[in-house]
Amino acid sequence: MSQNVTLALATFAATAHVLPAEVRHAARRALVDHIAVAAAGSDHAAVQAVLGTASALGSAGPHRIIGAALRVDPLTAALANGTAAHVLDWDDTVLPTRMHLSAALYPPLLALGERLDLSLDALVEPFVVGFEIAQRLCMAVFPALHERRWHNTAIVGAIGAASACGRLLGLDAPQIVQALGIAANSASGLASSYGTMAKALNVGRAAARGLESVCLAANGLVGHADTFAAGGFLAMYDDAPRLDALLARIGQSWWIRENGFKAYPCGVVAHAAIDAARALRARHPRPDHIEVQVTPAALELMGKADPATPLEAKFSLPFVVAAAWVFGDLTPDAFAADSLVPNGAVHALMRRMTIVAQPALGQTEAVVDATSRGVFERLHVVEARGTRGRPLSDDDLVAKAQQALRAAGLGAPDLPARLLAENMPAATLLAALSR
């Protein structure tokens, strides 16, 4: 392809778009979910490490951090809020790439909204644009990027954030070309971080890098004219990147429509098996044996057989299925340290479980067999709850957010429902969520 694809994407980012009502509503749904998971993760040790570092380095400023009293500069606010939104692995996921884009996009947009005294409506189009560009970039190198052990949201999340922030600030296409190139220059994130605090930090850094890249471009920093194609960015992650995926029907189809919202705080590839476990446990409260059939990607991503920490447990398919079976649900409380004590009910059930990779199954599917005293039952879940084929309703999202805010002691009970439609200032929202 001889076309400068970076310029084409930058032109898309810089151009005003008439968004369908469904697309605008999808962006608001993502915001409701984002504030829920960021509030829930705001007191995590990973976020406290970010805040402690900010204090030690004197990162002072007027910007609010969700769940904290500390005020910081906008880059640190994006870093902390992005880390909080991803640390529980409860944030939105778009398939097939398994990207978690709200945690990379909304923190810098909210920081700019607070700084410039903008309303939430002003953030919708930039969010949708950033989401579109990031997902298209990932689709161009999917699944090779995963197979080469890169963390996809960390790699392209910063580019999506730069696209969104560039649009919000009114940069022209040549300036956004530079912002995208600057963000791509700093892209990094390893799949080896899964199950550690560094995974969430990857996403927080993507949020901050996107904002920083836009500011550098606005102040005249210049790099390669076509980072993605001629500059070789995509070729680093795939020997044959599909450049057609970048521009086909852009501005006509919108990836935000495919966004899914997690019912459970762990990898989405385990959610169908969790659904099945919750359904089977009433008739098989203490099964003699469980067999779980899942897509091979589920074992690749969540193959930790003996998790030692709560974050590792989120990447253990046997743990999350057993925990859902024992507790009847899978909430953030299931990953408390005392749930990981060996020889407990969860671990006893893990020892009676067999996990089988089944290539015929998709990412939203699972087949679970339970045997209790000779009685056998099989349940096939085709679409996991919360995925695009079986979406959470607006009421479901509001309930999830209310639960998370109540547990964190943040916000008012009516705040999530108001976010679906009300055009409040970004600063008002952040004030309601900070301490």
Side-chain angles (χ1 to χ4, degrees):
M1 179 181 287
S2 59
Q3 180 181 9
N4 183 329
V5 295
T6 308
L7 177 59
L9 290 174
T11 301
F12 168 76
T15 304
H17 301 282
V18 178
L19 299 179
E22 176 193 0
V23 169
R24 300 186 71 85
H25 188 65
R28 286 301 190 117
R29 281 167 55 85
L31 179 59
V32 172
D33 192 72
H34 172 69
I35 63 112
V37 297
S42 62
D43 65 348
H44 194 278
V47 181
Q48 298 310 308
V50 171
L51 299 185
T53 302
S55 294
L57 296 178
S59 302
H63 293 272
R64 294 176 174 89
I65 293 173
I66 294 173
L70 183 67
R71 299 290 188 92
V72 293
D73 65 89
L75 295 181
T76 302
L79 172 65
N81 288 331
T83 302
H86 189 59
V87 73
L88 298 185
D89 265 287
W90 205 13
D91 46 334
D92 58 357
T93 308
V94 59
L95 296 177
T97 59
R98 301 184 294 272
M99 293 257 281
H100 310 286
L101 288 174
S102 289
L105 298 177
Y106 265 129
L109 288 175
L110 286 168
L112 285 178
E114 181 180 32
R115 187 174 192 85
L116 302 175
D117 195 24
L118 301 176
S119 69
L120 297 181
D121 275 356
L123 309 186
V124 168
E125 184 187 47
F127 173 82
V128 173
V129 164
F131 195 106
E132 189 71 20
I133 289 176
Q135 176 67 0
R136 283 173 176 265
L137 282 168
C138 197
M139 287 297 292
V141 291
F142 177 83
L145 178 143
H146 293 276
E147 294 165 352
R148 294 183 180 185
R149 303 294 293 158
W150 293 105
H151 180 187
N152 59 348
T153 309
I155 298 300
V156 301
I159 298 167
S163 306
C165 293
R167 173 66 191 148
L168 183 65
L169 292 175
L171 270 61
D172 61 23
Q175 289 175 308
I176 294 179
V177 165
Q178 300 308 324
L180 301 185
I182 295 165
N185 263 278
S186 61
S188 185
L190 305 176
S192 59
S193 67
Y194 294 1
T196 75
M197 294 183 193
K199 180 173 186 279
L201 183 66
N202 286 345
V203 179
R205 280 179 167 166
R209 284 199 311 267
L211 176 54
E212 179 186 56
S213 299
V214 163
C215 294
L216 289 168
N219 282 285
L221 194 72
V222 175
H224 196 281
D226 185 10
T227 297
F228 299 139
F233 176 79
L234 294 174
M236 291 194 302
Y237 306 105
D238 193 321
D239 291 335
R242 290 162 301 286
L243 298 183
D244 58 310
L246 297 178
L247 300 175
R249 300 190 70 241
I250 193 166
Q252 301 173 48
S253 62
W254 299 96
W255 271 106
I256 187 65
R257 285 178 164 140
E258 303 300 316
N259 202 21
F261 299 97
K262 287 185 176 182
Y264 313 114
C266 65
V268 72
V269 289
H271 286 206
I274 295 168
D275 286 339
R278 296 181 65 201
L280 287 167
R281 71 185 294 272
R283 297 179 296 281
H284 302 270
R286 288 179 292 277
D288 300 318
H289 186 257
I290 301 169
E291 180 178 286
V292 180
Q293 298 179 46
V294 290
T295 181
L299 280 178
E300 294 166 10
L301 292 167
M302 301 187 63
K304 295 184 184 297
D306 189 23
T309 70
L311 288 179
E312 285 190 357
K314 290 176 178 291
F315 288 86
S316 170
L317 189 64
F319 179 89
V320 298
V321 172
W325 212 298
V326 169
F327 301 132
D329 199 355
L330 197 73
T331 70
D333 291 341
F335 298 94
D338 56 2
S339 299
L340 302 176
V341 176
N343 303 318
V346 171
H347 283 72
L349 196 56
M350 290 169 65
R351 291 192 292 270
R352 299 198 295 273
M353 187 184 305
T354 302
I355 310 290
V356 178
Q358 175 53 264
L361 296 176
Q363 294 190 83
T364 66
E365 282 186 274
V367 176
V368 178
D369 298 337
T371 304
S372 304
R373 298 184 180 181
V375 177
F376 171 84
E377 185 174 359
R378 167 169 288 181
L379 185 59
H380 181 190
V381 174
V382 177
E383 295 285 353
R385 183 169 176 258
T387 58
R388 187 69 176 98
R390 192 178 160 205
L392 298 186
S393 67
D394 287 357
D395 288 344
D396 292 332
L397 281 176
V398 167
K400 173 182 174 179
Q402 287 173 331
Q403 173 195 357
L405 294 178
R406 184 167 55 249
L410 297 172
D414 65 340
L415 181 62
R418 290 169 57 200
L419 289 181
L420 287 174
E422 187 174 323
N423 188 26
M424 69 178 68
T428 299
L429 172 60
L430 290 170
L433 297 173
S434 63
R435 299 193 188 280

